[in-house]
Amino acid sequence: HHQFSADLADFFSAEPLILRAVSCQKNEPQGREFFREMTRSRGGAELIENQALELAIDSSGGIPRQFLTVISNAARLAIAQDAKEISRDLVVRGRERAMERFFYALRDEDYQSLLGFSEDTSPGPRLERLLRLAAVIEYGKVASLPRLGINPLCLPLLKRYEAAHAAEGVAAGEAR
């Protein structure tokens, strides 16, 4: 009985290694339409400004769960402010809240890996970790190789990291 419970717990807690996403770049209208339809089917089309919806789609990285997280964060803020609809500003703030999970999960070596990331980054433990964290997303395959990209929620954190370390480098140079 104990082993069954342990196996069941492992089954439900196991995350897929690679999180596949819907390609929803600006030049991929079919993927973007998937998220618009998701919003319409849930009765949210009238509740969100068009610009706000487009920003939420961009922030999703093509991951439906991430899209819904950003939207639900923005919706909670709208309710708290007694707003009539979800504005672009509320989606920006909802995206910031969704980014927190990466802020706490990413380590220094993860940022270094992301800074050196390219679509042809070779597989290994560092890339595997980034895939498990969903800091790197797979968008399908091109010529039997995975098409990978950095999660858009990680990009602002990466810029902050880079700026902070550039400032540290300047400060260290001035101290000499």
Side-chain angles (χ1 to χ4, degrees), residues 8 12 16 48 65 78 87 89 92 116 147 157 164 167 170-171:
L8 196 57
F12 283 110
I48 184 168
R65 179 180 57 218
S87 66
D89 178 58
V92 167
R147 192 174 124 221
L157 295 172
V170 169

Side-chain angles (χ1 to χ4, degrees), residues 116-122 127 142 145-149:
F117 179 81
S118 70
E119 285 191 22
D120 44 314
T121 296
S122 57
L127 180 58
V142 176
L145 296 172
R147 192 174 124 221
L148 304 173

Side-chain angles (χ1 to χ4, degrees), residues 10-118:
D10 287 345
F11 175 78
F12 283 110
S13 65
E15 292 183 16
L17 174 60
I18 296 175
L19 185 61
R20 288 205 174 89
V22 176
S23 259
C24 63
Q25 300 298 317
K26 299 269 188 221
N27 63 347
E28 298 173 290
Q30 193 172 10
R32 297 183 77 76
E33 185 56 32
F34 169 82
F35 289 98
R36 289 188 197 104
E37 180 55 37
M38 182 189 301
T39 304
R40 282 191 294 272
S41 71
R42 292 169 179 251
E46 300 81 33
L47 303 175
I48 184 168
E49 292 175 356
N50 207 20
Q51 273 190 323
L53 179 60
E54 293 304 311
L55 179 59
I57 292 169
D58 292 340
S59 301
S60 76
I63 304 169
R65 179 180 57 218
Q66 190 163 293
F67 172 77
L68 293 172
T69 298
V70 170
I71 292 289
S72 67
N73 288 346
R76 277 191 215 96
L77 292 166
I79 291 166
Q81 294 179 4
D82 202 25
K84 302 281 185 242
E85 66 182 353
I86 299 170
S87 66
R88 187 178 193 288
D89 178 58
L90 292 172
V91 169
V92 167
R93 292 174 50 208
R95 178 183 63 188
E96 287 287 324
R97 286 196 175 168
M99 286 169 35
E100 287 175 5
R101 110 179 164 81
F102 294 105
F103 177 79
Y104 293 109
L106 294 174
R107 301 185 297 224
D108 202 51
E109 60 267 19
D110 297 325
Y111 285 109
Q112 293 299 320
S113 294
L114 288 169
L115 285 170
F117 179 81
S118 70

